[in-house]
Amino acid sequence: MTTIQHISTGRRLKDRMVQGLVYLAFALAVVPLVSVLWLVISNGLARFDMTFLTHSMRGIGARDVGGGAYHAIIGTLEQVLLSSLISVPIGLLTAIYLVEYGNGGRLSRAISFFVDVMTGIPSVVAGLFVLAFWILFLGMPYSGFAGAMALSILMMPTVVRSAEEMLRLVPDDLREASYALGVAKWRTILKVVLPTAFTGIVTGVMLAVARVAGETAPLLLTVFFTDSINNDPFSGPQMGLPLYVFDQAARPNDTAIDRAWTGALTLILIVMLLNLVARLIAWWRSPARGR
Protein backbone atom coordinates (compact mmCIF):
# COMPACT_ATOMS: atom_id res chain seq x y z
CA MET A 1 0.00 0.00 0.00
CA THR A 2 1.50 3.30 -1.13
CA THR A 3 1.39 6.39 1.03
CA ILE A 4 0.79 9.90 -0.26
CA GLN A 5 3.79 12.09 0.33
CA HIS A 6 3.31 15.29 2.30
CA ILE A 7 3.28 18.43 0.12
CA SER A 8 5.57 21.08 1.47
CA THR A 9 4.33 24.53 2.41
CA GLY A 10 6.50 26.16 -0.26
CA ARG A 11 4.96 24.09 -3.02
CA ARG A 12 1.47 24.88 -1.75
CA LEU A 13 2.27 28.60 -1.78
CA LYS A 14 3.63 28.38 -5.31
CA ASP A 15 0.51 26.51 -6.42
CA ARG A 16 -1.76 29.16 -4.89
CA MET A 17 0.32 31.94 -6.41
CA VAL A 18 0.09 30.44 -9.90
CA GLN A 19 -3.67 29.93 -9.49
CA GLY A 20 -4.03 33.55 -8.45
CA LEU A 21 -2.07 34.71 -11.51
CA VAL A 22 -4.27 32.59 -13.78
CA TYR A 23 -7.44 34.06 -12.28
CA LEU A 24 -5.98 37.57 -12.55
CA ALA A 25 -5.10 37.04 -16.22
CA PHE A 26 -8.63 35.75 -16.85
CA ALA A 27 -10.14 38.81 -15.15
CA LEU A 28 -7.91 41.17 -17.14
CA ALA A 29 -9.11 39.52 -20.36
CA VAL A 30 -12.80 39.37 -19.44
CA VAL A 31 -13.30 42.78 -17.78
CA PRO A 32 -12.66 44.84 -20.95
CA LEU A 33 -14.93 42.54 -22.98
CA VAL A 34 -17.75 42.75 -20.42
CA SER A 35 -17.36 46.51 -20.13
CA VAL A 36 -17.58 46.97 -23.91
CA LEU A 37 -20.64 44.75 -24.15
CA TRP A 38 -22.31 46.55 -21.25
CA LEU A 39 -21.55 49.96 -22.77
CA VAL A 40 -22.91 48.97 -26.20
CA ILE A 41 -26.02 47.26 -24.82
CA SER A 42 -26.90 49.99 -22.31
CA ASN A 43 -26.52 52.76 -24.91
CA GLY A 44 -27.89 50.84 -27.88
CA LEU A 45 -31.16 49.59 -26.42
CA ALA A 46 -32.67 53.08 -26.46
CA ARG A 47 -33.21 52.99 -30.26
CA PHE A 48 -33.32 49.23 -30.82
CA ASP A 49 -36.86 48.84 -32.18
CA MET A 50 -38.70 47.83 -35.33
CA THR A 51 -38.44 51.35 -36.74
CA PHE A 52 -34.67 51.16 -36.55
CA LEU A 53 -34.58 47.69 -38.13
CA THR A 54 -37.08 48.38 -40.93
CA HIS A 55 -36.38 51.97 -42.02
CA SER A 56 -33.47 53.68 -43.75
CA MET A 57 -32.08 57.20 -43.33
CA ARG A 58 -33.68 58.46 -46.54
CA GLY A 59 -35.15 61.92 -45.88
CA ILE A 60 -33.91 61.99 -42.25
CA GLY A 61 -31.84 65.03 -41.31
CA ALA A 62 -28.82 64.96 -39.06
CA ARG A 63 -30.81 66.26 -36.07
CA ASP A 64 -34.11 64.54 -36.85
CA VAL A 65 -35.48 61.85 -34.56
CA GLY A 66 -36.22 58.54 -36.23
CA GLY A 67 -34.58 56.79 -39.10
CA GLY A 68 -33.01 53.38 -39.03
CA ALA A 69 -30.31 51.10 -40.37
CA TYR A 70 -32.25 48.76 -42.64
CA HIS A 71 -30.17 49.83 -45.66
CA ALA A 72 -26.96 49.27 -43.70
CA ILE A 73 -28.07 45.84 -42.45
CA ILE A 74 -28.87 44.72 -46.00
CA GLY A 75 -25.53 46.05 -47.20
CA THR A 76 -23.53 44.31 -44.47
CA LEU A 77 -25.24 40.96 -45.05
CA GLU A 78 -24.71 41.11 -48.81
CA GLN A 79 -21.11 42.28 -48.55
CA VAL A 80 -20.17 39.60 -46.00
CA LEU A 81 -21.93 36.93 -48.08
CA LEU A 82 -20.12 37.95 -51.27
CA SER A 83 -16.74 38.14 -49.53
CA SER A 84 -17.34 34.66 -48.08
CA LEU A 85 -18.27 33.28 -51.52
CA ILE A 86 -14.99 34.66 -52.84
CA SER A 87 -12.59 33.81 -50.02
CA VAL A 88 -13.88 30.51 -48.60
CA PRO A 89 -13.49 28.37 -51.78
CA ILE A 90 -10.09 29.90 -52.59
CA GLY A 91 -8.89 29.59 -48.99
CA LEU A 92 -10.14 26.02 -48.61
CA LEU A 93 -8.58 24.87 -51.89
CA THR A 94 -5.30 26.54 -50.89
CA ALA A 95 -5.33 24.75 -47.53
CA ILE A 96 -6.05 21.42 -49.25
CA TYR A 97 -3.09 21.94 -51.55
CA LEU A 98 -0.75 22.86 -48.70
CA VAL A 99 -1.72 19.81 -46.61
CA GLU A 100 -2.43 17.12 -49.19
CA TYR A 101 -0.30 18.00 -52.21
CA GLY A 102 2.36 20.52 -51.18
CA ASN A 103 4.77 18.11 -49.47
CA GLY A 104 6.97 21.01 -48.38
CA GLY A 105 7.86 21.97 -51.95
CA ARG A 106 9.00 25.36 -53.17
CA LEU A 107 5.52 26.40 -54.25
CA SER A 108 3.91 25.42 -50.95
CA ARG A 109 6.58 27.32 -49.01
CA ALA A 110 5.99 30.40 -51.17
CA ILE A 111 2.23 30.16 -50.64
CA SER A 112 2.70 29.82 -46.87
CA PHE A 113 4.98 32.85 -46.85
CA PHE A 114 2.53 35.05 -48.74
CA VAL A 115 -0.38 33.87 -46.57
CA ASP A 116 1.60 34.92 -43.50
CA VAL A 117 2.30 38.29 -45.11
CA MET A 118 -1.38 38.78 -45.98
CA THR A 119 -2.35 38.03 -42.38
CA GLY A 120 -0.64 41.23 -41.25
CA ILE A 121 -1.90 43.50 -44.03
CA PRO A 122 -3.77 46.53 -42.63
CA SER A 123 -7.38 46.68 -43.75
CA VAL A 124 -6.92 50.08 -45.34
CA VAL A 125 -4.31 48.61 -47.69
CA ALA A 126 -6.85 46.09 -49.00
CA GLY A 127 -9.28 48.92 -49.59
CA LEU A 128 -6.64 51.01 -51.37
CA PHE A 129 -5.77 48.09 -53.64
CA VAL A 130 -9.38 47.59 -54.73
CA LEU A 131 -9.85 51.36 -55.08
CA ALA A 132 -6.76 51.73 -57.27
CA PHE A 133 -7.32 48.66 -59.46
CA TRP A 134 -11.07 48.08 -59.61
CA ILE A 135 -12.43 51.64 -59.38
CA LEU A 136 -9.72 53.97 -60.68
CA PHE A 137 -7.92 51.73 -63.22
CA LEU A 138 -10.85 49.68 -64.54
CA GLY A 139 -13.37 52.47 -64.05
CA MET A 140 -15.88 50.40 -62.10
CA PRO A 141 -18.33 52.25 -59.82
CA TYR A 142 -18.40 52.28 -56.04
CA SER A 143 -20.43 49.25 -55.02
CA GLY A 144 -20.98 46.62 -52.38
CA PHE A 145 -19.14 44.13 -54.58
CA ALA A 146 -16.01 46.31 -54.53
CA GLY A 147 -16.22 46.34 -50.73
CA ALA A 148 -16.71 42.56 -50.71
CA MET A 149 -13.52 42.10 -52.73
CA ALA A 150 -11.59 44.20 -50.22
CA LEU A 151 -13.06 42.20 -47.33
CA SER A 152 -12.24 38.90 -49.06
CA ILE A 153 -8.57 39.89 -49.13
CA LEU A 154 -8.71 40.18 -45.35
CA MET A 155 -10.70 36.96 -44.92
CA MET A 156 -8.56 34.72 -47.09
CA PRO A 157 -5.47 34.26 -44.87
CA THR A 158 -7.63 33.48 -41.83
CA VAL A 159 -9.58 30.87 -43.79
CA VAL A 160 -6.38 29.33 -45.16
CA ARG A 161 -4.63 29.06 -41.82
CA SER A 162 -7.63 27.73 -39.88
CA ALA A 163 -8.54 25.20 -42.57
CA GLU A 164 -4.92 24.10 -42.87
CA GLU A 165 -4.65 23.44 -39.14
CA MET A 166 -7.92 21.49 -39.12
CA LEU A 167 -6.87 19.35 -42.08
CA ARG A 168 -3.54 18.55 -40.41
CA LEU A 169 -5.43 17.30 -37.34
CA VAL A 170 -7.18 14.60 -39.39
CA PRO A 171 -5.41 11.30 -38.53
CA ASP A 172 -3.34 9.77 -41.32
CA ASP A 173 -4.89 6.40 -40.45
CA LEU A 174 -8.17 7.56 -41.99
CA ARG A 175 -6.43 8.49 -45.23
CA GLU A 176 -4.44 5.26 -45.35
CA ALA A 177 -7.54 3.16 -44.70
CA SER A 178 -9.27 4.86 -47.61
CA TYR A 179 -6.26 4.38 -49.89
CA ALA A 180 -6.10 0.72 -48.90
CA LEU A 181 -9.64 0.28 -50.22
CA GLY A 182 -8.55 1.65 -53.57
CA VAL A 183 -10.22 5.05 -53.19
CA ALA A 184 -8.66 7.85 -55.22
CA LYS A 185 -6.94 10.67 -53.37
CA TRP A 186 -9.37 13.37 -54.48
CA ARG A 187 -12.29 11.23 -53.36
CA THR A 188 -10.59 10.52 -50.03
CA ILE A 189 -10.20 14.25 -49.46
CA LEU A 190 -13.81 14.89 -50.42
CA LYS A 191 -15.45 12.03 -48.52
CA VAL A 192 -13.11 11.43 -45.57
CA VAL A 193 -10.82 14.36 -44.81
CA LEU A 194 -13.20 17.30 -45.31
CA PRO A 195 -16.15 15.81 -43.37
CA THR A 196 -13.82 15.00 -40.47
CA ALA A 197 -12.46 18.56 -40.35
CA PHE A 198 -15.79 20.23 -41.20
CA THR A 199 -16.55 21.55 -37.70
CA GLY A 200 -13.16 23.20 -37.33
CA ILE A 201 -13.31 24.66 -40.83
CA VAL A 202 -16.70 26.24 -40.10
CA THR A 203 -15.30 27.74 -36.90
CA GLY A 204 -12.39 29.22 -38.84
CA VAL A 205 -14.72 30.69 -41.45
CA MET A 206 -16.78 32.32 -38.71
CA LEU A 207 -13.62 33.82 -37.19
CA ALA A 208 -12.84 35.33 -40.59
CA VAL A 209 -16.40 36.65 -40.93
CA ALA A 210 -16.26 38.17 -37.44
CA ARG A 211 -13.00 39.88 -38.35
CA VAL A 212 -14.26 41.58 -41.52
CA ALA A 213 -17.86 42.30 -40.47
CA GLY A 214 -16.78 45.34 -38.48
CA GLU A 215 -14.17 46.71 -40.88
CA THR A 216 -14.72 50.34 -41.81
CA ALA A 217 -11.60 51.46 -43.69
CA PRO A 218 -12.02 49.21 -46.79
CA LEU A 219 -15.68 50.19 -47.11
CA LEU A 220 -14.87 53.90 -46.87
CA LEU A 221 -12.71 53.58 -49.98
CA THR A 222 -14.79 51.16 -52.04
CA VAL A 223 -18.49 51.32 -51.07
CA PHE A 224 -19.02 54.98 -50.18
CA PHE A 225 -22.02 56.42 -48.30
CA THR A 226 -25.73 56.40 -49.05
CA ASP A 227 -28.89 56.96 -47.02
CA SER A 228 -31.04 54.97 -49.46
CA ILE A 229 -31.76 51.25 -49.68
CA ASN A 230 -29.67 49.56 -52.36
CA ASN A 231 -30.39 45.86 -52.69
CA ASP A 232 -28.03 45.48 -55.66
CA PRO A 233 -24.42 45.11 -54.45
CA PHE A 234 -23.12 45.35 -58.04
CA SER A 235 -24.49 48.80 -58.79
CA GLY A 236 -23.95 52.05 -56.95
CA PRO A 237 -22.94 52.93 -53.38
CA GLN A 238 -24.24 50.66 -50.65
CA MET A 239 -24.23 51.34 -46.94
CA GLY A 240 -22.85 48.94 -44.35
CA LEU A 241 -23.25 48.87 -40.58
CA PRO A 242 -19.62 49.87 -39.89
CA LEU A 243 -20.03 52.84 -42.24
CA TYR A 244 -23.38 53.65 -40.65
CA VAL A 245 -21.86 53.71 -37.15
CA PHE A 246 -18.92 55.80 -38.38
CA ASP A 247 -21.23 58.27 -40.12
CA GLN A 248 -23.68 58.67 -37.22
CA ALA A 249 -20.98 58.87 -34.56
CA ALA A 250 -19.35 61.77 -36.43
CA ARG A 251 -22.51 63.91 -36.17
CA PRO A 252 -22.53 66.20 -33.09
CA ASN A 253 -26.02 65.51 -31.72
CA ASP A 254 -27.57 63.01 -29.36
CA THR A 255 -30.04 61.47 -31.83
CA ALA A 256 -27.23 60.53 -34.23
CA ILE A 257 -25.09 59.19 -31.38
CA ASP A 258 -27.99 57.00 -30.23
CA ARG A 259 -28.32 55.61 -33.75
CA ALA A 260 -24.57 54.89 -33.79
CA TRP A 261 -24.78 52.90 -30.53
CA THR A 262 -27.77 50.94 -31.81
CA GLY A 263 -25.95 50.23 -35.07
CA ALA A 264 -23.01 48.83 -33.11
CA LEU A 265 -25.37 46.65 -31.06
CA THR A 266 -27.06 45.41 -34.24
CA LEU A 267 -23.68 44.49 -35.75
CA ILE A 268 -22.73 42.49 -32.66
CA LEU A 269 -26.08 40.67 -32.74
CA ILE A 270 -25.69 39.83 -36.44
CA VAL A 271 -22.22 38.35 -35.87
CA MET A 272 -23.51 36.34 -32.90
CA LEU A 273 -26.49 35.09 -34.94
CA LEU A 274 -24.27 34.05 -37.85
CA ASN A 275 -21.95 32.28 -35.42
CA LEU A 276 -24.90 30.43 -33.86
CA VAL A 277 -26.17 29.33 -37.28
CA ALA A 278 -22.70 28.11 -38.24
CA ARG A 279 -22.39 26.15 -34.99
CA LEU A 280 -25.76 24.50 -35.61
CA ILE A 281 -24.72 23.54 -39.14
CA ALA A 282 -21.42 22.17 -37.86
CA TRP A 283 -23.23 20.14 -35.21
CA TRP A 284 -25.72 18.85 -37.77
CA ARG A 285 -22.95 17.74 -40.16
CA SER A 286 -20.61 16.48 -37.45
CA PRO A 287 -19.43 12.85 -37.97
CA ALA A 288 -19.92 12.15 -34.26
CA ARG A 289 -23.65 12.91 -34.56
CA GLY A 290 -24.21 10.07 -37.02
CA ARG A 291 -22.87 7.44 -34.67
Side-chain angles (χ1 to χ4, degrees):
M1 182 176 179
T2 58
T3 58
I4 300 176
Q5 295 182 354
H6 176 70
I7 301 176
S8 63
T9 304
R11 293 179 63 183
R12 291 178 182 271
L13 290 175
K14 291 179 181 178
D15 179 67
R16 295 297 183 185
M17 185 182 299
V18 172
Q19 286 185 2
L21 291 176
V22 170
Y23 293 145
L24 178 62
F26 175 76
L28 290 176
V30 170
V31 168
L33 175 62
V34 173
S35 64
V36 168
L37 288 176
W38 172 255
L39 198 62
V40 173
I41 293 173
S42 60
N43 288 281
L45 284 177
R47 275 298 324 275
F48 191 76
D49 50 29
M50 291 305 298
T51 300
F52 184 84
L53 298 176
T54 58
H55 288 72
S56 69
M57 291 296 295
R58 184 71 174 177
I60 304 297
R63 297 181 180 275
D64 294 343
V65 179
Y70 176 77
H71 60 309
I73 295 172
I74 293 297
T76 292
L77 292 177
E78 291 183 349
Q79 291 157 23
V80 170
L81 176 61
L82 286 173
S83 61
S84 300
L85 291 176
I86 296 171
S87 61
V88 171
I90 296 175
L92 185 56
L93 290 174
T94 302
I96 291 174
Y97 172 78
L98 291 175
V99 175
E100 304 293 338
Y101 296 98
N103 298 322
R106 183 177 299 177
L107 180 59
S108 64
R109 292 198 301 270
I111 292 174
S112 296
F113 171 76
F114 284 111
V115 169
D116 291 337
V117 171
M118 288 179 64
T119 304
I121 289 180
S123 59
V124 68
V125 175
L128 283 172
F129 171 75
V130 175
L131 173 67
F133 178 74
W134 184 256
I135 297 176
L136 299 180
F137 181 73
L138 297 181
M140 297 296 179
Y142 291 99
S143 63
F145 180 68
M149 287 193 295
L151 296 180
S152 67
I153 296 174
L154 302 175
M155 283 185 66
M156 224 171 292
T158 304
V159 174
V160 172
R161 279 290 170 243
S162 59
E164 181 184 1
E165 293 301 322
M166 291 301 104
L167 293 175
R168 292 189 187 280
L169 291 177
V170 176
D172 289 334
D173 294 342
L174 295 178
R175 297 181 177 89
E176 294 171 359
S178 179
Y179 298 150
L181 295 174
V183 181
K185 186 168 186 175
W186 69 269
R187 196 170 183 83
T188 299
I189 295 172
L190 190 62
K191 296 294 185 179
V192 177
V193 177
L194 289 179
T196 305
F198 180 77
T199 303
I201 292 174
V202 170
T203 302
V205 170
M206 288 312 304
L207 288 175
V209 168
R211 181 197 173 188
V212 303
E215 288 289 351
T216 306
L219 302 185
L220 279 171
L221 299 171
T222 57
V223 177
F224 213 62
F225 293 93
T226 180
D227 291 333
S228 303
I229 300 172
N230 181 9
N231 294 322
D232 186 1
F234 299 96
S235 176
Q238 186 183 53
M239 202 61 161
L241 277 172
L243 285 180
Y244 180 85
V245 174
F246 177 82
D247 179 47
Q248 295 298 317
R251 302 184 181 187
N253 58 82
D254 292 338
T255 56
I257 297 298
D258 290 340
R259 287 193 290 261
W261 281 113
T262 308
L265 176 60
T266 305
L267 182 60
I268 293 175
L269 292 177
I270 288 176
V271 173
M272 291 179 62
L273 182 61
L274 292 175
N275 190 28
L276 178 61
V277 172
R279 293 298 180 118
L280 290 175
I281 294 174
W283 170 80
W284 177 56
R285 295 298 302 272
S286 175
R289 182 175 175 268
R291 296 176 181 175

